Amino acid sequence: MPDIESKNEPKKVLLGLTGGVAAYKAAELVRRLGDHGIDVQVVMTKAACGFITPATLQALSGHPVYTDMWDGRIANGMPHIELSRDKQAIVVAPATADFLAKAALGLADDLLSTLCLARDCPLIVAPAMNRQMWEHPATQRNVAQLKRDGVIVLGPDSGDQACGETGMGRMLEADELAEAISAFLEPKTLSGKRVLMTAGPTFEPIDAVRGITNRSSGKMGYALARAAIAAGAEVTLVSGPVSLAAPVGASMERVQTAAEMFDAVKKHTAKADIFIGVAAVADFRVSAPRKHKIKKNGDKGLTLDFVPNPDILAWVASRPKPPFCVGFAAESRNLDAYADEKRRRKKVKLLIANLAQSAIGADDNEVSMLDDAGTHRLPRAAKTVVARQIIEHIAALCGAKARKSR
Ligand code: C5P
């Protein structure tokens, strides 16, 4: 059985810190980027060192931190050029108003600003400042200039500020930044593709207050939606009831029952290039759900009649010109045999199989991918990482052309 490893080179970014109180979030950002498999080299301005020590960033990144143009540790004496040469991006977080002004003008009077000018990779900035500094026409002019120059500006957000004021200028949180940076670095293997997905459980009512459902957190489906968006796809996500934030950029259809999920899928199937059914759809629904709450009747039990729900995935796969169909199978035993049988019966090109007891609700997962070529096992990893690998495999199988992110 072939093991599928990610074909991507390990990603590397240079993270520049400038002198803002949000520098403390940069420590967390290093960790979150690491979760996405991104190696981080930190460079700090003198003012940034007033907020957080290089030792902290060195410990978290695992690399020496550079702060000085004249640092002798780079053999050819040119840290302002060498440090960014093997990186896929320079990220400046926090980016102060002063840094944005310097970058917009092309000033280069310290290591970080010189690196930004001498780079041959994209520049991403995460502004962080007091709301009046952000709203100042000079800052707005500088940000507009940076965008015209092709710089990617992430945030800022609005909310409570360290100065006690409330408004626009707060740096995005570390996990949001890591997600956006990681998505930016992904190869755009699904560019131009329309992906329709189902995720989460369905909820089938019994009466006004009760219902039956399947155990599903929606984490795997939502991670796949994010990975597909990061790969450049246009994603429609039909989601059952979950307590997760919608993936940024997904077109959401929120449903409760399998019948509603089926209707939403039918609406979008004709336009989809790829269909991924991740939802744990209830196989049965109560044949006649009661409008009002069923009252207890002494010691008497309750009998409910169930009717089968439509199989959404099988319906999509049986269209005359079906999209490339991907199914999921959560089994509690005999995983490979049941999964293979399910792939053939539902006529899907790719089936992702996992053991229900180790996948439901967890943040990581271990899956096998079954296709015409056989069974490929993926090593246990965070669902975000597994999702990227599955999307990579789907892109390869459905012949999408790889396009680099830059
Ligand atoms: O529930 P089962 O193990 O058959 O699910 C396998 C695959 O079929 C999953 O991808 C699931 O989303 C899909 N499915 C569906 N409609 C159903 C049942 C399952 O789309 N009614």
Side-chain angles (χ1 to χ4, degrees), residues 16-38:
L17 275 67
T18 64
V21 66
Y24 78 93
K25 291 187 188 175
E28 182 69 15
L29 177 58
V30 174
R31 296 301 285 263
R32 299 287 78 84
L33 287 170
D35 293 345
H36 286 273
I38 300 172

Side-chain angles (χ1 to χ4, degrees), residues 122-403:
L123 174 61
I124 301 174
V125 296
M129 66 200 72
N130 159 271
R131 71 181 169 87
Q132 271 157 334
M133 293 172 89
W134 173 251
E135 283 158 13
H136 196 286
T139 305
Q140 289 304 308
R141 220 168 33 238
N142 292 332
V143 170
Q145 181 60 52
L146 287 169
K147 285 183 179 169
R148 275 196 295 277
D149 292 345
V151 174
I152 292 108
V153 181
L154 298 178
D157 205 353
S158 72
D160 293 341
Q161 304 202 308
C163 54
E165 297 181 8
T166 304
M168 204 66 176
R170 228 179 77 192
M171 188 166 93
L172 294 185
E173 297 304 326
D175 53 351
E176 294 173 289
L177 283 175
E179 175 93 39
I181 294 161
S182 171
F184 175 80
L185 298 178
E186 276 301 293
K188 303 297 172 226
T189 48
L190 289 183
S191 166
K193 297 280 177 193
R194 278 185 284 222
V195 176
L196 175 62
M197 298 184 52
T198 64
T202 64
F203 180 87
E204 313 295 330
I206 294 172
D207 65 15
V209 296
R210 303 183 182 93
I212 57 163
T213 188
N214 281 336
R215 284 181 60 207
S216 166
S217 64
K219 284 180 188 169
M220 193 66 232
Y222 276 52
L224 273 161
R226 289 199 172 89
I229 292 166
E234 203 181 294
V235 173
T236 301
L237 176 57
V238 182
S239 174
V242 296
S243 50
L244 298 172
V248 176
S251 161
M252 296 295 292
E253 292 262 5
R254 294 183 195 278
V255 298
Q256 294 282 318
T257 65
E260 289 167 6
M261 187 171 271
F262 192 27
D263 284 346
V265 166
K266 277 190 205 158
K267 248 190 348 191
H268 298 283
T269 301
K271 285 195 190 144
D273 301 300
I274 297 166
F275 176 74
I276 313 177
V278 197
V281 185
D283 288 328
F284 301 96
R285 67 180 181 278
V286 176
S287 58
R290 313 280 171 83
K291 196 168 162 213
H292 296 291
K293 185 177 172 187
I294 302 168
K295 302 305 288 177
K296 259 188 283 190
N297 188 3
D299 289 341
K300 279 204 181 138
L302 175 69
T303 307
L304 294 168
D305 276 331
F306 289 92
V307 289
N309 271 328
D311 191 314
I312 301 169
L313 176 61
W315 180 86
V316 176
S318 66
R319 295 303 82 212
K321 280 189 187 163
F324 181 92
C325 284
V326 183
F328 268 70
E331 302 290 349
S332 55
R333 62 196 173 112
N334 294 344
L335 184 59
D336 286 356
Y338 284 153
D340 192 48
E341 184 277 326
K342 203 165 281 186
R343 188 176 91 86
R344 287 167 204 284
R345 177 166 42 86
K346 301 204 186 200
K347 297 193 174 62
V348 295
K349 295 276 184 206
L350 176 65
L351 194 116
I352 313 295
N354 54 21
L355 275 175
Q357 50 273 42
S358 66
I360 293 172
D363 287 328
D364 56 2
N365 202 359
E366 187 177 347
V367 305
S368 294
M369 305 195 288
L370 287 76
D371 58 26
D372 287 344
T375 301
H376 321 271
R377 290 201 195 289
L378 289 180
R380 175 167 280 279
K383 283 181 177 170
T384 49
V385 173
V386 173
R388 294 253 157 98
Q389 291 173 325
I390 294 173
I391 290 295
E392 223 172 82
H393 194 60
I394 292 172
L397 285 182
C398 69
K401 292 258 177 298
R403 197 159 64 81

